[in-house]
Amino acid sequence: MDRTLRQADALFDLGRHEQAAELAARHLADAPDDATALVLLARCRQHLGDARQALTTVEHALRVAPESVSALLVHAHVLLTLKQYRQAEDSARRAVALAPQLWASHYSLGAVLDRGGRHGRRRAAYESARRAVALAPEESDAHVLLGVTAHHTGDHHLARQAYETALRLDPHNSTAHNNLSLLHLRRRWLRPGSWTRAAEGFVRAATLDLNDHQARHNLENMAWGTLMGSRWVAFAGTVAVSSGSAHLRAGASGTDALVTRLVCAAVLVGGWGGWLLWQTRRIPPHLRRPLLLVSRGCRPVLGMTFPIALLVVHSVLALALWRSALFGALAIPLFFFVIVTSVAGRTTLQQRAPKR
């Protein structure tokens, strides 16, 4: 390997893919059929988001060196990005046949089988992941794939163990942090603290990899879920105050009127106070700023804040100005406005989910 190509390889390892691509292309200008340089250039182009050019480049490498395992592995991953699952599987299986003792071959085959969209292949994907781990127990990515395939086959206990092993090997593995947090989130109603651990993991994943859009989307979902919890508090306050205001307008006076006002006020203060106390205990101080920043950048969350705030304002004004029947009449339209907005917001949030 000449000096230019060694520099390109080093730059790729540092994540400087554009500069690595320039050096690899410069080398190929003098040696257009250098399979090693072609594979490196294809990897650079894939990381730069140009999957089509990456495919063209790696296919050139395969014409030059049909039995290059590294070219076959890159070919499989590029095809996987382009969702050409059948061709990706063919390349991955050829790599396994040529290098059965190479963990990356089994890893690539497992990844292709898992993401190929066929439920019947998930067990085979799991077996490929197990083989990759057996061949390279020190590779955190192999354990992550084992966790993913175990999760998809319903073995959540093994998936959790695999992600934890991956993080022991590489504490900076953002995918392991993200996927382990998804498992914590599943158990949020069964185990106290699971929601908090999930949020911590998503924040950690997003911090470690600024391009990890999945972790950010998961945080947006958590912020959305928190806001949806406040919706029920707002509904309860609106119902209580609307009923109390109607009772006062019906002629309640003296002690009866005072008790009605106190009960309505208690529902509002107790409901929102209890909800805020719960959120304060559930969201530790170091997570509040990341969740707030994510919420500010998420249109569905911001959009849902408005109708919930309207319900709160409505409840306060309806209690203070109970003689006016206008606020009682507004309760039902506001209720449906919140419902419609929540459905639209959930749909928009799902559309924002990053592609696998």
Side-chain angles (χ1 to χ4, degrees):
M1 185 183 296
D2 77 350
R3 185 167 176 269
T4 302
L5 202 54
R6 284 198 300 272
Q7 288 178 338
D9 196 48
L11 287 170
F12 180 88
D13 290 338
L14 291 173
R16 296 162 65 177
H17 303 124
E18 190 168 353
Q19 291 172 284
E22 290 175 0
L23 287 179
R26 187 187 307 170
H27 172 84
L28 286 166
D30 297 325
D33 290 335
D34 187 331
T36 301
L38 287 166
V39 170
L40 178 57
L41 181 58
R43 293 170 67 199
C44 292
R45 286 174 170 169
Q46 184 183 16
H47 280 274
L48 291 170
D50 194 349
R52 290 292 175 186
Q53 280 298 317
L55 182 61
T56 300
T57 305
V58 76
E59 286 181 343
H60 182 184
L62 284 171
R63 285 193 296 271
V64 174
E67 295 192 351
S68 168
V69 174
S70 60
L72 286 167
L73 294 178
V74 173
H75 192 234
H77 283 284
V78 172
L79 289 168
L80 188 59
T81 301
L82 295 171
K83 297 184 178 181
Q84 297 180 26
Y85 301 119
R86 188 179 297 279
Q87 298 94 318
E89 183 180 339
D90 290 341
S91 289
R93 289 194 182 279
R94 283 180 62 198
V96 170
L98 290 168
Q101 297 305 312
L102 181 66
W103 77 272
S105 301
H106 297 277
Y107 173 89
S108 296
L109 179 58
V112 170
L113 292 173
D114 180 71
R115 290 179 54 187
R118 301 180 187 179
H119 291 283
R121 300 294 185 92
R122 285 182 172 171
R123 188 68 194 179
Y126 170 72
E127 294 300 333
S128 291
R130 285 188 60 190
R131 182 61 177 159
V133 168
L135 289 169
E138 74 288 352
E139 291 288 344
S140 63
D141 285 343
H143 289 278
V144 170
L145 180 62
L146 179 62
V148 170
T149 55
H151 192 163
H152 288 165
T153 55
D155 193 340
H156 298 138
H157 178 69
L158 178 59
R160 179 176 57 81
Q161 288 182 327
Y163 296 141
E164 289 173 347
T165 301
L167 289 173
R168 282 196 296 272
L169 293 168
D170 178 12
H172 301 294
N173 191 312
S174 63
T175 304
H177 279 291
N178 183 74
N179 292 0
L180 182 59
S181 295
L182 288 173
L183 291 178
H184 286 316
L185 199 59
R186 289 186 74 259
R187 300 184 298 173
R188 64 189 181 277
W189 302 115
L190 302 176
R191 294 195 178 184
S194 292
W195 190 95
T196 303
R197 286 194 292 274
E200 288 174 338
F202 291 142
V203 169
R204 180 71 171 155
T207 302
L208 288 170
D209 184 357
L210 298 179
N211 294 317
D212 190 343
H213 302 298
Q214 186 63 58
R216 180 181 178 85
H217 181 69
N218 290 333
L219 282 172
E220 290 177 345
N221 274 315
M222 296 190 84
W224 173 267
T226 301
L227 190 61
M228 288 298 95
S230 72
R231 174 186 57 173
W232 300 112
V233 181
F235 281 158
T238 299
V239 170
V241 171
S242 297
S243 301
S245 298
H247 182 61
L248 291 172
R249 288 195 301 274
S253 60
T255 303
D256 189 17
L258 178 62
V259 170
T260 299
R261 293 193 186 94
L262 289 176
V263 169
C264 291
V267 171
L268 285 177
V269 175
W272 284 108
W275 184 81
L276 289 172
L277 178 62
W278 178 42
Q279 296 307 320
T280 300
R281 295 183 63 182
R282 187 167 72 153
I283 308 175
H286 67 280
L287 291 180
R288 293 170 194 167
R289 179 175 172 77
L291 281 172
L292 180 60
L293 290 174
V294 165
S295 300
R296 286 171 57 184
C298 182
R299 289 185 179 180
V301 173
L302 289 177
M304 194 65 217
T305 303
F306 177 66
I308 291 177
L310 280 181
L311 276 182
V312 176
V313 172
H314 169 269
S315 298
V316 174
L317 291 178
L319 183 60
L321 306 173
W322 57 268
R323 287 186 175 85
S324 174
L326 173 64
F327 293 104
L330 284 174
I332 293 178
L334 279 176
F335 176 86
F336 282 105
F337 180 45
V338 171
I339 295 296
V340 170
T341 306
S342 65
V343 173
R346 168 54 68 183
T347 301
T348 303
L349 193 62
Q350 290 174 346
Q351 292 172 346
R352 288 167 61 96
K355 296 179 180 179
R356 288 188 63 187

